[in-house]
């Protein structure tokens, strides 16, 4: 049978894809059904048909899976943020662990027997909601012309009106409702993407989980926010409010933040802790959004690094120095490399704030800084820790790592597909995969973090 658009059929969901979509098969033909979970029997309608597979829309759950649960948020299906809210949390962890394993087998060519032996239990959360310490809320209009804020519907830029996201902190609702009522009273227009007009684009809200400090930064398409004092007077009544600022962004772009930040009230930065280290965070700082799991990931990286106090450690793609400073507590010397100059300024300030003297930071591409420091200055590495972006490590960077021959490489990954590719390259050139562990940094979504240990043969 040849499948085509708008065909309606019934199928049992037997697996899940990398983004958490249900997968069913009819006579060997694979069908991906968003919002279906493993074990469901569903009626679905084909939206796009290819020769060997199709994408379909869930029309009705005929027989719910034993693992299907009622989502906490009524927008779970339409919003782009949570792909797995209808799946029991224990099953979410199994799905993510399997995703990491499958990528290491399929892309990396590692054997199932090896992975069964070296893969540790996935690390989930006791409370898999309200874990995000940062959120960015776009402003716009509903069909009736009312100002709204919330999140973009999946794969679109149309806003679902929701001030109370189940993944964010409870203060978000109070802050957003204050901003919305202020906009109505003062007639402040929301930004319209299609015309580039209007003023208020986004609200960035951050909260220090261990300090309780809150930051609000309003992104505006103009030079100033009218009646700003009236809004700050309201916002500063919220317990923990520490920093209120505006960020000027007049570009016609999807990039949320501009670089010009102007303080309206309070301090320019907030602080938070990971373990016993304190970090200073500006509106533009990159800081892990799930502080509870981040501490667990860094503790695992430290454990895999097996530091005795005599090692020289390189931390590549070091950001604001979070992992570097964690490692510096047990290493002889740590060198961090990061391409973003502002992040390195933060890293230096964070080292100073925590009284850490054995960490040094360099601005530049890891694949350029590393060879230069190794070849011209003879700085070697006992341990290298990498925490690259989704695209993984640059080949030149991997080649220099191999040249430096560290005893151990600890790879922290936010994309197990590129991790699998890079781990294979390292294992074809003198290393072996020793430990793998998945961490659920983003419960309810399809994302998974992984920490791996590779040792020199």
């Amino acid at each position: 049978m040849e499948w085509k658009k708008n065909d309606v059929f019934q199928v049992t969901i037997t697996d899940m894809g990398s983004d958490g979509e249900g997968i069913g098969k009819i006579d060997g033909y694979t069908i991906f059904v968003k919002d279906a979970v493993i074990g469901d029997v569903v009626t679905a309608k084909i939206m796009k048909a290819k020769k060997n597979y199709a994408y379909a829309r869930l029309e009705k759950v005929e027989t719910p899976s034993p693992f299907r649960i009622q989502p906490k948020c009524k927008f779970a299906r339409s919003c782009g943020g949570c792909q797995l809210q209808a799946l029991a949390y224990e099953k979410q962890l199994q799905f993510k662990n399997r995703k990491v394993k499958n990528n290491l087998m399929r892309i990396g060519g590692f054997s199932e027997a090896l992975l069964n032996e070296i893969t540790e239990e996935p690390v989930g959360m006791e409370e898999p909601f309200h874990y995000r310490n940062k959120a960015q809320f776009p402003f716009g209009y509903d069909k009736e012309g009312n100002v709204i804020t919330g999140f973009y519907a999946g794969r679109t830029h149309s806003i679902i009106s929701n001030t109370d996201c189940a993944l964010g902190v409870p203060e978000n609702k109070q802050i957003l409702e204050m901003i919305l009522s202020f906009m109505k009273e003062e007639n402040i227009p929301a930004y319209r993407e299609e015309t580039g007009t209007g003023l208020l684009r986004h609200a960035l809200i951050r909260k220090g989980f261990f300090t309780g400090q809150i930051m609000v930064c309003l992104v505006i398409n103009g030079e100033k926010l009218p009646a700003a004092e009236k809004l700050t007077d309201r916002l500063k009544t919220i317990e923990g409010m520490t920093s209120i600022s505006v960020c000027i962004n007049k570009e016609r772009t999807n990039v949320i933040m501009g670089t010009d930040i102007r303080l309206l009230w309070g301090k320019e930065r907030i602080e938070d802790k990971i373990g016993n280290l304190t970090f200073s965070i500006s509106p533009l700082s990159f800081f892990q959004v799930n502080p509870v799991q981040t501490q667990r990931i860094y503790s695992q990286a430290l454990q895999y690094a097996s530091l005795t106090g005599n090692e020289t450690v390189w931390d590549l793609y070091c950001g604001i120095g979070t992992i570097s400073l964690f490692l510096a507590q047990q290493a002889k010397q740590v060198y961090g490399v990061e391409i973003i100059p502002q992040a390195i300024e933060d890293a230096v300030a964070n080292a100073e704030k925590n009284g850490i003297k054995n960490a040094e930071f360099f601005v530049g591409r890891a694949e350029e800084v590393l060879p230069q420091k190794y070849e011209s200055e003879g700085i070697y590495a006992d341990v290298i820790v990498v925490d690259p972006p989704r695209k993984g490590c640059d080949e030149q960077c991997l080649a220099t790592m191999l040249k430096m021959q560290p005893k151990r490489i600890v790879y922290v990954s936010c994309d197990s597909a590129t991790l699998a590719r890079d781990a294979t390259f390292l294992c074809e050139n003198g290393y072996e995969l020793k430990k793998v562990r998945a961490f659920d940094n983003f419960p309810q979504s399809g994302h998974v973090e992984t920490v791996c240990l590779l040792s020199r043969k």
Side-chain angles (χ1 to χ4, degrees):
M1 171 182 176
E2 195 172 312
W3 294 91
K4 57 191 187 303
K5 189 176 175 177
N6 296 329
D7 281 348
V8 176
F9 57 91
Q10 209 177 87
V11 67
T12 302
I13 302 299
T14 53
D15 201 355
M16 289 174 79
S18 59
D19 291 327
E21 67 281 21
I23 300 176
K25 288 195 179 212
I26 300 177
D27 300 330
Y29 187 73
T30 304
I31 299 166
F32 295 93
V33 187
K34 186 181 167 295
D35 305 311
V37 307
I38 201 161
D40 278 344
V41 178
V42 302
T43 295
K45 181 182 189 176
I46 290 184
M47 307 313 290
K48 194 192 221 171
K50 301 276 188 187
K51 188 168 174 249
N52 300 316
Y53 62 93
Y55 294 102
R57 189 175 68 207
L58 176 65
E59 297 287 299
K60 190 181 175 204
V61 178
E62 301 294 346
T63 311
S65 160
F67 314 118
R68 176 175 278 281
I69 57 170
Q70 182 60 38
K72 192 167 184 165
C73 170
K74 64 180 179 188
F75 303 110
R77 240 187 107 170
S78 49
C79 170
C82 293
Q83 300 88 27
L84 301 177
Q85 239 190 75
L87 185 64
Y89 188 58
E90 208 39 56
K91 272 285 167 197
Q92 290 187 31
L93 285 183
Q94 287 174 21
F95 158 70
K96 292 181 185 192
N97 205 39
R98 197 171 69 242
K99 175 175 167 173
V100 171
K101 249 184 178 171
N102 286 348
N103 278 336
L104 286 165
M105 288 192 303
R106 200 169 44 81
I107 299 165
F110 294 97
S111 76
E112 189 167 6
L114 171 73
L115 292 169
N116 287 342
E117 191 187 319
I118 66 172
T119 302
E120 303 197 70
E121 280 295 302
V123 181
M125 296 194 75
E126 293 73 29
E127 173 44 64
F129 289 98
H130 305 296
Y131 59 80
R132 287 190 69 101
N133 61 10
K134 170 191 166 187
Q136 295 170 137
F137 299 88
F139 287 82
Y141 295 93
D142 64 13
K143 290 189 175 73
E144 286 72 52
N146 303 305
V147 173
I148 56 167
T149 187
F151 291 98
Y152 293 127
R155 301 179 194 278
T156 74
H157 266 218
S158 63
I159 298 170
I160 292 166
S161 175
N162 176 19
T163 56
D164 192 16
C165 168
L167 304 188
V169 295
E171 290 88 348
N172 286 347
K173 184 177 196 302
Q174 196 183 354
I175 292 165
L176 293 170
E177 285 174 2
M178 275 184 185
I179 296 170
L180 287 170
S181 62
F182 162 76
M183 289 173 77
K184 282 174 199 152
E185 286 165 31
E186 296 299 322
N187 222 358
I188 307 276
Y191 182 68
R192 292 184 187 271
E193 258 185 14
E194 57 281 11
T195 58
T197 56
L199 185 68
L200 190 56
R201 297 174 76 132
H202 278 81
L204 162 73
I205 305 173
R206 287 185 185 264
K207 182 181 180 184
F209 271 38
F210 298 95
T211 60
Q213 296 178 3
I214 296 172
M215 165 188 284
V216 175
C217 181
L218 302 169
V219 184
I220 57 173
N221 176 42
E223 286 297 318
K224 60 195 274 270
L225 181 68
E229 210 168 279
K230 183 175 180 179
L231 179 60
T232 56
D233 283 344
R234 290 180 192 178
L235 289 173
K236 68 190 189 193
T237 62
I238 293 170
E239 191 182 342
M241 190 58 68
T242 303
S243 171
I244 305 170
S245 59
V246 291
C247 169
I248 314 299
N249 181 1
K250 295 188 275 191
E251 304 291 319
R252 293 286 293 272
T253 170
N254 284 342
V255 177
I256 294 173
M257 303 294 285
T259 52
D260 183 2
I261 310 276
R262 300 176 191 176
L263 190 67
L264 296 176
W265 175 85
K267 298 178 178 173
E268 288 182 345
R269 291 166 168 265
I270 61 169
E271 289 184 345
D272 205 8
K273 292 175 92 72
I274 299 177
N276 57 354
L277 297 171
T278 301
F279 293 91
S280 164
I281 307 156
S282 78
L284 296 174
S285 293
F286 173 80
F287 192 71
Q288 294 282 2
V289 299
N290 184 335
V292 174
Q293 291 295 82
T294 297
Q295 183 169 338
R296 291 170 176 169
I297 284 181
Y298 291 0
S299 299
Q300 187 70 71
L302 194 55
Q303 193 191 325
Y304 284 171
S306 302
L307 302 177
T308 62
N310 299 315
E311 292 84 3
T312 298
V313 182
W314 277 90
D315 175 18
L316 311 184
Y317 312 95
C318 72
I320 64 167
T322 41
I323 295 185
S324 306
L325 301 184
F326 229 70
L327 298 165
Q329 298 174 98
Q330 290 183 27
K332 180 178 161 192
Q333 177 69 37
V334 175
Y335 297 104
V337 185
E338 171 59 58
I339 195 166
I340 301 162
Q342 196 202 352
I344 289 291
E345 283 169 32
D346 282 354
V348 170
N350 285 324
E352 212 168 287
K353 180 183 279 292
N354 289 285
I356 289 175
K357 306 268 196 295
N358 60 333
E360 195 180 336
F361 297 96
F362 304 106
V363 177
R365 295 160 66 93
E367 49 273 24
E368 287 165 13
V369 173
L370 208 53
Q372 180 211 335
K373 295 288 167 192
Y374 175 61
E375 282 153 21
S376 62
E377 295 177 37
I379 301 176
Y380 66 98
D382 295 301
V383 177
I384 291 179
V385 177
V386 283
D387 184 5
R390 284 198 181 287
K391 64 180 189 339
C393 291
D394 184 278
E395 206 168 303
Q396 198 184 338
C397 177
L398 289 171
T400 308
M401 283 160 64
L402 291 170
K403 240 188 226 173
M404 292 172 86
Q405 294 205 325
K407 296 183 193 77
R408 290 175 293 286
I409 296 170
V410 180
Y411 196 131
V412 181
S413 164
C414 59
D415 185 335
S416 53
T418 54
L419 162 69
R421 178 201 68 202
D422 292 349
T424 304
F425 182 80
L426 293 167
C427 288
E428 282 167 353
N429 290 281
Y431 283 81
E432 52 189 337
L433 193 58
K434 287 288 199 185
K435 293 278 181 199
V436 178
R437 192 165 208 180
F439 287 79
D440 192 18
N441 260 33
F442 303 96
Q444 319 309 329
S445 84
H447 297 297
V448 59
E449 302 268 322
T450 314
V451 185
C452 283
L453 169 64
L454 297 110
S455 286
R456 199 170 75 219
K457 283 181 191 164

